[in-house]
Amino acid sequence: MCKTLVSLTAILFMLSSCARKEVKQGMISYTIGYQLPDSLRSYEAYLPKTAIVYFKGDSTVSIQQAGPEATTVITHKPTDLVRVLLSSPAKKYVMDYPKNIQAELLPASTGYAYAATKDTMTMAGHKTKKYELTDKATGVTSEAWFTKEIKVVPNYLTMVFDTAYGVPLAFTTKQNGMPVTTKIKEIKFEPVPAGVFSTPAGYQKISPEQFKNLQPEN
């Protein structure tokens, strides 16, 4: 009897250890909307309207597709890796952004002041709380809806936010001076596709500086 109890205790302990070591992984899909001035409305058709993010442990990959062109951003938090893959019918480029210039990729902000509101909303099955955000440098205000019901590693779209407030499920940021609203459509906790964090063959590796020089010509 004692041996049985000892064995049962050991099994339960091992199962508990396995559960604690389980790596969170899954997929988040977002919708993206743009507030463009009349002079630029014709370009909206060329902008991505959705984003798919896969996450596993400390790694994420964010994929935005606009017609035949795609922008993929791979991140790995422990090593500060930010890798950008640009794909079009004509060219495929891959660039690694060092920590000191990663801000060039992120929505414009030097940090936010967060003010909680009384507004709540359920998004993708999770209760969120609305915060008013004020850019500390410019004073420009925006908003974001955070949930504390789940925990996932920040991805390229959410890296500018303070994780102390939870996971942002809807938010408005500025990119190239234009307000961009991103909202969660769905989140699933499930195994991610094999090789999703790898760089496919056929991409030309260049530096961010080299890409800047290429842009006027392409």
Side-chain angles (χ1 to χ4, degrees):
M1 182 68 175
C2 289
K3 289 183 179 180
T4 301
L5 289 174
V6 170
S7 299
L8 180 58
T9 301
I11 292 171
L12 291 174
F13 177 79
M14 287 188 291
L15 289 174
S16 175
S17 297
C18 289
R20 288 197 298 270
K21 293 178 182 178
E22 181 182 357
V23 176
K24 286 187 177 180
Q25 58 181 311
M27 179 275 295
I28 306 174
S29 63
Y30 299 95
T31 59
I32 305 173
Y34 305 87
Q35 299 177 38
L36 301 178
D38 292 340
S39 60
L40 297 177
R41 288 252 170 95
S42 60
Y43 292 96
E44 189 168 2
Y46 302 99
L47 297 173
K49 306 300 188 303
T50 61
I52 301 293
V53 174
Y54 295 101
F55 59 89
K56 183 177 182 180
D58 290 316
S59 297
T60 73
V61 56
S62 309
I63 306 166
Q64 297 184 54
Q65 189 90 28
E69 300 184 349
T71 300
T72 301
V73 182
I74 301 171
T75 70
H76 183 240
K77 191 175 180 181
T79 59
D80 288 325
L81 171 71
V82 174
R83 175 168 294 169
V84 178
L85 286 71
L86 301 175
S87 174
S88 73
K91 290 285 186 178
K92 293 183 178 181
Y93 295 113
V94 56
M95 297 164 283
D96 286 344
Y97 278 74
K99 179 72 173 177
N100 63 314
I101 63 170
Q102 287 175 10
E104 296 178 4
L105 286 173
L106 302 177
S109 171
T110 55
Y112 293 111
Y114 295 74
T117 72
K118 296 181 179 179
D119 298 329
T120 61
M121 184 185 301
T122 298
M123 298 182 187
H126 299 284
K127 184 178 179 180
T128 65
K129 185 178 182 66
K130 180 182 175 182
Y131 284 80
E132 298 289 350
L133 309 183
T134 302
D135 189 293
K136 293 180 180 179
T138 65
V140 174
T141 60
S142 58
E143 66 179 49
W145 298 75
F146 292 86
T147 183
K148 290 191 174 181
E149 294 186 348
I150 55 175
K151 287 186 178 181
V152 296
V153 64
N155 59 64
Y156 160 64
L157 299 171
T158 63
M159 287 171 65
V160 295
F161 299 109
D162 189 338
T163 56
Y165 297 93
V167 177
L169 299 189
F171 45 90
T172 299
T173 55
K174 278 205 170 184
Q175 298 182 22
N176 297 319
M178 306 295 176
V180 179
T181 299
T182 305
K183 185 176 180 180
I184 191 170
K185 183 178 179 182
E186 181 182 28
I187 181 168
K188 294 181 179 179
F189 289 92
E190 61 184 16
V192 301
V196 72
F197 301 110
S198 302
T199 301
Y203 280 77
Q204 178 185 349
K205 188 164 187 177
I206 60 175
S207 69
E209 188 63 34
Q210 287 174 316
F211 179 67
K212 287 180 184 177
N213 294 332
L214 287 173
Q215 284 180 308
E217 300 175 9
N218 294 323

